[in-house]
């Protein structure tokens, strides 16, 4: 068994709350009575540099290749700080360093980190394991990050898939569990079997929370839908959920143990199982009866459901239990487009949802997807008209934010990707190194069944929507970031031959 | 036509609703009272109730109001608010003000943080025009 473990979180992640993975791993260490330390490099770096430097360093993780900016002053500052950080970690003499790689945007940072550890650590003095969704990022010649680092001898192990059981096995040096150094991970079926994540060594109060400290909670993994544009089913093919009572117990435990009353759910959908969601809200209300000071707020991703499946009473109970903010993937205000996406709700359902949220004071962040392959001009007009129709909800802070995103991209592994033939989807532009280098290849598509919906047209519709929404007073985060991205795309494609031009040749 | 609704967890002993100082409704023993009014705006709404020292839910046109954003004045025995033509516009502006003030000190006056976290100043007309130019080229 390992004797001393260093648990590390990396950028890029929100600093609004502690990263979710580390407390899960901490609880496993505690269960095995293994000494451990927790270091969130993301938080440490944020505290170690100025706000401007932080902004530059943090934004760089979203660049086409962050390592290309190594000669920038802010990058050199990052490297200096990384050296300091690694020295600090190694001074605690761990025999295992476990690194959580949250997403693609952490991929380059983990490369820098393990390279620096290799420079500073004595040979074979410490093992390194990485885990998290980001380890599957294809960053070097299309090779998965995990395999690349293993081949380079920069790590000893990687854990693919869910880590609770695999990490426990690894801590006891049982390396043959599915998912350790291979991609044969197995889904955990019973999510209620694990101890609650431990925040003993990662203080939620250290984070940049807006009002009160916040903790991430998981009540389900996977999704009950299989929306055509989404790849969640490739990560978690099967939807699993915890009992509502057990989730409510966990919230109450955090309140009693750490005094935390704000919670963000990591679930794809907090109401994926209506039964469990309802049970959780009612269990929270029972706790409130016993302990009236237990006043919490929670937010999470939510699916708009057909009227009748979720009732007015559910909204009343949600609000009373503490639900105050929902992220809702509306995607399009056109029923036809949503029908093709397999979202399974209609415009009356959205009306009902907003009416109930207005009535019970629940805020929404609407997530939209512009330029879906089947989207016609008429569908686009419906989007524009509905944005006008719901203006009063934006003013009343019920549609608290609306996000129009990057326009539709067709990601590998999504149902849409597998429908390419059915929808007559082909690359719109000739081979263009820009698309590959920019990791936005999924944007280079056109459906020959809907040939007027070119990349330029998708961006035009997007610009029209944000102009209108802005005029009507909708709050839209990161608009400047999206616009800059579109300008880059347009500049890089303006002289490129399109599918039609290529056919004429 | 406008509506005001006042709701308490337990039934009110009584609720008296005054619009521009005129008593327009008086009810007893209900936990929720809905008033429809079509007087011109602005309208000063005053609602007296018993039991005292409670904080009822107030809804205007079926939107549950945040007391602070809506400038609802709560006293032990009554609430007061003013409904204007620009009620929700003002509500929204105050909301933005509150969101900016809740940003960490180093982000309060920095425009890109307003864009990133609050979602205001999102017109970026120069950049949108740049997109339009590129599209029409």
């Amino acid at each position: 068994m390992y004797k001393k473990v260093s648990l590390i979180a990396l950028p890029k992640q929100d600093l609004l709350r502690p990263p979710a993975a580390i407390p899960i791993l901490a609880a496993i260490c505690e269960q095995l009575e293994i000494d451990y330390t927790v270091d969130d490099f993301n938080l440490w770096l944020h505290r170690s540099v100025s706000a401007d430097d932080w902004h530059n360093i943090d934004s760089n993780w979203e660049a086409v290749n962050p390592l290309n900016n190594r000669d920038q002053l802010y990058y050199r500052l990052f490297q200096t700080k990384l050296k300091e950080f690694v020295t600090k970690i190694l001074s605690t003499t761990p025999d295992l360093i476990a690194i959580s790689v949250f997403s693609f945007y952490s991929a380059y940072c983990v490369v820098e980190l393990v390279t620096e550890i290799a420079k500073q650590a004595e040979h074979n003095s410490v093992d390194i394991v990485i885990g998290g969704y980001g380890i599957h990022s294809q960053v070097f010649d299309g090779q998965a990050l995990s395999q690349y680092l293993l081949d380079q001898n920069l790590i000893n192990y990687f854990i693919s898939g869910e880590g609770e059981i695999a990490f426990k096995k690894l801590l006891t040096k049982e390396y043959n569990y599915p998912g350790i150094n291979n991609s044969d991970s197995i889904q955990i079926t019973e999510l209620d079997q694990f101890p609650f994540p431990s925040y003993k060594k990662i203080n939620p109060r250290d984070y940049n929370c807006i009002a009160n400290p916040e903790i991430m909670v998981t009540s389900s993994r996977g999704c009950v839908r299989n929306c055509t544009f989404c790849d969640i089913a490739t990560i978690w093919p099967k939807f699993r959920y915890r009992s509502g009572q057990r989730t409510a117990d966990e919230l109450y435990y955090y309140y009693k143990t750490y005094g935390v009353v704000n919670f963000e759910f990591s679930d794809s959908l907090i109401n994926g199982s209506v039964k469990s969601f309802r049970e959780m809200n009612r269990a929270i209300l029972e706790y409130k009866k016993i302990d009236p000071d237990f006043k919490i707020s929670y937010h999470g991703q939510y699916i708009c459901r057909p009227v009748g499946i979720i009732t007015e009473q559910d909204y009343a109970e949600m609000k009373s239990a503490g639900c105050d903010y929902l992220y809702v993937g509306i995607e399009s205000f056109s029923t036809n487009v949503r029908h093709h996406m397999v979202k399974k709700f209609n415009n009356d359902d959205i009306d009902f949802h907003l009416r109930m949220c207005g009535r019970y004071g629940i805020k929404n962040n609407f997530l939209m997807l512009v330029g879906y392959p089947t989207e016609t001009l008429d569908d686009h007009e419906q989007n524009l008209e509905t944005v006008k129709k719901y203006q009063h909800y934006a003013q009343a802070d019920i549609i608290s934010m609306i996000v129009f995103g990057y326009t539709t991209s067709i990601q590998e592994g999504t149902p849409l990707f597998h429908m390419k033939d059915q929808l007559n989807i082909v690359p719109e532009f000739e081979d263009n190194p820009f698309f590959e280098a920019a990791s936005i290849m999924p944007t280079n598509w056109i459906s020959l069944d809907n040939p007027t919906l070119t990349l330029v047209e998708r961006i035009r519709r997007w610009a029209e929507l944000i102009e209108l929404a802005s005029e009507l007073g909708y709050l839209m985060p990161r608009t400047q970031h999206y616009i800059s991205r579109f300008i880059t795309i347009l500049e890089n494609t303006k002289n490129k031959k399109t599918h039609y031009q290529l056919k004429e040749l | 036509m406008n509506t005001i609704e006042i709701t308490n967890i337990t039934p009110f002993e009584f609720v008296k609703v005054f619009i521009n100082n005129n008593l327009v409704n008086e009810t007893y023993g209900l936990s929720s009272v809905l008033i429809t009014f079509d007087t011109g705006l602005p309208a000063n709404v005053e609602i007296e109730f018993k039991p005292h020292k409670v904080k009822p839910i107030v809804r205007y046109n079926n939107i549950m109001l945040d007391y602070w954003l809506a400038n609802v004045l709560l006293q032990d025995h009554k609430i007061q608010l003013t409904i204007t033509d620009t009620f929700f516009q003002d509500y929204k502006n105050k909301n933005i003000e509150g969101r900016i003030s809740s940003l960490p000190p180093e982000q309060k006056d920095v425009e890109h943080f307003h864009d990133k976290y609050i979602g205001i100043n999102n017109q970026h007309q120069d950049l949108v025009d740049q997109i339009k130019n590129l599209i029409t080229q």
Side-chain angles (χ1 to χ4, degrees):
Chain A
M1 191 141 70
Y2 287 98
K3 292 186 172 59
K4 185 153 190 185
V5 180
S6 166
L7 303 175
I8 297 179
L10 294 180
K12 174 178 175 91
Q13 290 199 59
D14 270 351
L15 280 169
L16 296 172
R17 65 195 77 80
I22 298 298
I24 293 173
L25 303 181
I28 297 166
C29 290
E30 285 171 19
Q31 204 178 26
L32 294 174
E33 298 181 349
I34 293 175
D35 189 15
Y36 70 94
T37 55
V38 169
D39 289 278
D40 183 349
F41 178 56
N42 196 29
L43 179 68
W44 185 86
L45 188 64
H46 178 257
R47 286 173 166 177
S48 308
V49 299
S50 70
D52 279 348
D53 283 332
W54 165 255
H55 177 71
N56 288 330
I57 293 169
D58 198 50
S59 304
N60 185 47
W61 302 122
E62 290 186 43
V64 172
N65 182 347
L67 305 186
N68 288 345
N69 297 318
R70 274 179 163 152
D71 56 344
Q72 297 289 325
L73 274 178
Y74 66 80
Y75 204 97
R76 283 190 232 152
L77 175 65
F78 157 74
Q79 286 176 314
T80 306
K81 291 293 167 189
L82 184 71
K83 277 182 192 158
E84 272 179 49
F85 180 76
V86 169
T87 305
K88 182 171 99 75
I89 296 301
L90 293 177
S91 72
T92 65
T93 62
D95 55 357
L96 178 70
I97 295 178
I99 305 166
S100 166
V101 188
F102 178 62
S103 74
F104 172 76
Y105 295 128
S106 311
Y108 289 95
C109 189
V110 77
V111 174
E112 292 282 35
L113 175 68
V114 295
T115 306
E116 185 57 34
I117 293 173
K119 280 183 199 163
Q120 290 195 33
E122 280 176 38
H123 186 60
N124 287 341
S125 62
V126 59
D127 285 349
I128 299 177
V129 57
I130 62 171
Y133 186 60
I135 70 167
H136 304 295
S137 310
Q138 297 181 347
V139 287
F140 298 109
D141 300 328
Q143 195 180 13
L145 175 71
S146 51
Q147 197 58 50
Y148 169 81
L149 294 177
L150 198 64
D151 292 348
Q152 300 290 316
N153 290 321
L154 287 167
I155 60 170
N156 305 85
Y157 310 101
F158 66 83
I159 293 176
S160 60
E162 294 166 318
E164 283 91 342
I165 297 174
F167 185 62
K168 193 172 176 181
K169 297 280 183 191
L170 187 128
L171 287 176
T172 56
K173 302 200 173 180
E174 281 182 56
Y175 303 118
N176 57 356
Y177 188 77
I180 299 179
N181 284 2
N182 58 55
S183 54
D184 305 332
S185 59
I186 40 179
Q187 272 195 287
I188 294 165
T189 48
E190 179 50 68
L191 296 180
D192 277 334
Q193 65 178 300
F194 304 111
F196 295 148
S198 171
Y199 288 84
K200 284 180 190 161
K201 295 187 180 179
I202 184 164
N203 188 349
R205 284 181 170 71
D206 288 342
Y207 285 78
N208 193 17
C209 29
I210 299 292
N212 293 302
E214 190 172 279
I215 279 179
M216 183 80 89
V217 179
T218 300
S219 72
S220 67
R221 287 181 186 163
C223 191
V224 285
R225 294 282 184 268
N226 192 15
C227 300
T228 53
F229 53 84
C230 180
D231 66 351
I232 194 76
T234 62
I235 306 167
W236 286 312
K238 194 172 170 228
F239 174 70
R240 290 121 331 128
Y241 59 92
R242 300 171 59 195
S243 85
Q245 180 65 53
R246 175 86 174 154
T247 306
D249 293 346
E250 184 176 338
L251 302 183
Y252 190 65
Y253 167 79
Y254 291 141
Y255 161 69
K256 293 300 277 184
T257 313
Y258 307 111
V260 172
V261 292
N262 288 356
F263 302 99
E264 165 99 10
F265 279 90
S266 68
D267 306 37
S268 294
L269 299 173
I270 52 172
N271 62 336
S273 161
V274 175
K275 177 175 161 277
S276 167
F277 181 55
R278 201 171 271 154
E279 185 189 326
M280 178 192 78
N281 287 319
R282 290 177 183 171
I284 292 171
L285 293 174
E286 285 303 312
Y287 270 121
K288 285 184 162 196
K289 278 185 200 163
I290 304 161
D291 184 349
D293 290 335
F294 181 51
K295 291 174 185 162
I296 63 166
S297 84
Y298 74 78
H299 32 279
Q301 297 190 100
Y302 180 93
I303 179 92
C304 181
R305 284 186 176 274
V307 178
I309 302 281
I310 292 256
T311 63
E312 177 163 357
Q313 190 185 346
D314 286 314
Y315 284 93
E317 288 175 352
M318 278 159 70
K319 178 66 180 181
S320 301
C323 177
D324 58 8
Y325 199 101
L326 299 171
Y327 303 86
V328 188
I330 295 292
E331 319 303 348
S332 171
F333 291 121
S334 157
T335 296
N336 287 341
V337 170
R338 278 199 320 277
H339 179 73
H340 196 276
M341 292 173 171
V342 205
K343 295 295 291 187
K344 298 186 179 176
F345 57 86
N346 62 33
N347 289 348
D348 290 342
D349 302 326
I350 302 175
D351 278 343
F352 176 75
H353 170 74
L354 280 173
R355 205 162 58 246
M356 289 302 104
C357 286
R359 183 156 179 76
Y360 292 97
I362 300 171
K363 298 173 190 181
N364 285 257
N365 186 333
F366 273 10
L367 310 173
M368 308 299 289
L369 195 59
V370 180
Y372 186 76
T374 63
E375 183 187 284
T376 62
L377 257 183
D378 186 49
D379 296 320
H380 174 59
E381 286 300 324
Q382 284 185 53
N383 277 335
L384 293 169
E385 285 309 309
T386 313
V387 165
K388 289 181 203 161
K389 174 180 147 186
Y390 289 151
Q391 183 192 13
H392 63 293
Y393 285 121
Q395 287 185 328
D397 202 27
I398 297 305
I399 301 179
S400 193
M401 281 196 180
I402 190 164
V403 179
F404 289 105
Y406 287 113
T407 76
T408 304
S409 61
I410 301 176
Q411 304 284 347
E412 205 168 335
T414 61
L416 208 46
F417 185 83
H418 297 295
M419 292 159 85
K420 281 199 295 189
D421 290 343
Q422 188 188 327
L423 292 169
N424 237 335
I425 288 173
V426 295
E428 182 181 356
F429 296 97
E430 62 181 333
D431 289 344
N432 182 347
F434 166 72
F435 281 105
E436 276 187 55
S439 303
I440 53 164
M441 265 215 304
T443 312
N444 182 16
W445 61 265
I446 187 167
S447 164
L448 301 181
D449 292 347
N450 188 14
T452 54
L453 187 67
T454 59
L455 174 60
V456 166
E457 173 63 7
R458 297 197 288 275
I459 295 175
R460 187 197 71 76
R461 290 181 190 179
W462 182 91
E464 196 170 20
L465 277 162
I466 64 134
E467 253 189 321
L468 174 68
S470 175
E471 198 180 303
L472 296 173
Y474 283 80
L475 300 185
M476 295 178 287
R478 303 185 85 211
T479 307
Q480 188 173 359
H481 169 85
Y482 294 123
I483 296 178
S484 305
R485 182 91 168 193
F486 287 139
I487 289 172
T488 310
I489 292 175
L490 289 169
E491 280 171 345
N492 279 280
T493 53
K494 67 181 173 186
N495 296 320
K496 303 294 174 192
K497 289 191 175 62
T498 65
H499 173 82
Y500 293 101
Q501 289 164 329
L502 285 172
K503 274 191 92 173
E504 281 164 18
L505 287 173
Chain B
M1 200 70 88
N2 294 291
T3 62
I4 286 279
E5 186 180 350
I6 178 170
T7 304
N8 194 36
I9 298 168
T10 55
F12 291 108
E13 283 176 40
F14 72 81
V15 173
K16 290 180 185 177
V17 181
F18 299 85
I19 307 277
N20 296 331
N21 296 321
N22 298 316
L23 180 66
V24 295
N25 186 280
E26 190 170 350
T27 48
Y28 296 85
L30 298 177
S31 59
S32 191
V33 176
L34 175 73
I35 309 297
T36 301
F37 64 99
D38 58 359
T39 57
L41 299 179
N44 292 314
V45 179
E46 193 171 303
I47 306 174
E48 294 179 1
F49 49 77
K50 202 171 178 186
H52 296 163
K53 295 184 178 175
V54 295
K55 189 181 178 186
I57 290 169
V58 181
R59 295 187 175 94
Y60 169 49
N61 287 350
N62 209 26
I63 300 288
M64 183 172 154
L65 298 180
D66 177 289
Y67 274 38
W68 184 72
L69 296 181
N71 293 319
V72 174
L73 179 64
L74 172 69
Q75 296 176 55
D76 283 353
H77 64 300
K78 69 176 181 181
I79 56 166
Q80 289 172 284
L81 76 155
T82 304
I83 305 293
T84 64
D85 284 326
T86 57
F87 181 83
F88 277 121
Q89 181 64 45
D90 299 339
Y91 190 90
K92 185 197 127 198
N93 291 342
K94 197 161 178 187
N95 177 31
I96 291 171
E97 206 181 290
R99 287 188 195 207
I100 292 173
S101 69
S102 70
L103 283 174
E106 72 275 12
Q107 297 179 1
K108 271 191 177 59
D109 301 319
V110 185
E111 200 182 316
H112 66 77
F113 287 119
H114 292 185
D115 174 276
K116 190 172 175 182
Y117 296 126
I118 300 175
I120 54 170
N121 304 330
N122 47 27
Q123 286 190 311
H124 305 297
Q125 202 53 54
D126 51 335
L127 294 173
V128 173
D129 288 345
Q130 210 178 325
I131 286 186
K132 285 181 180 168
N133 288 336
L134 282 162
I135 285 173
T136 51
Q137 267 173 18

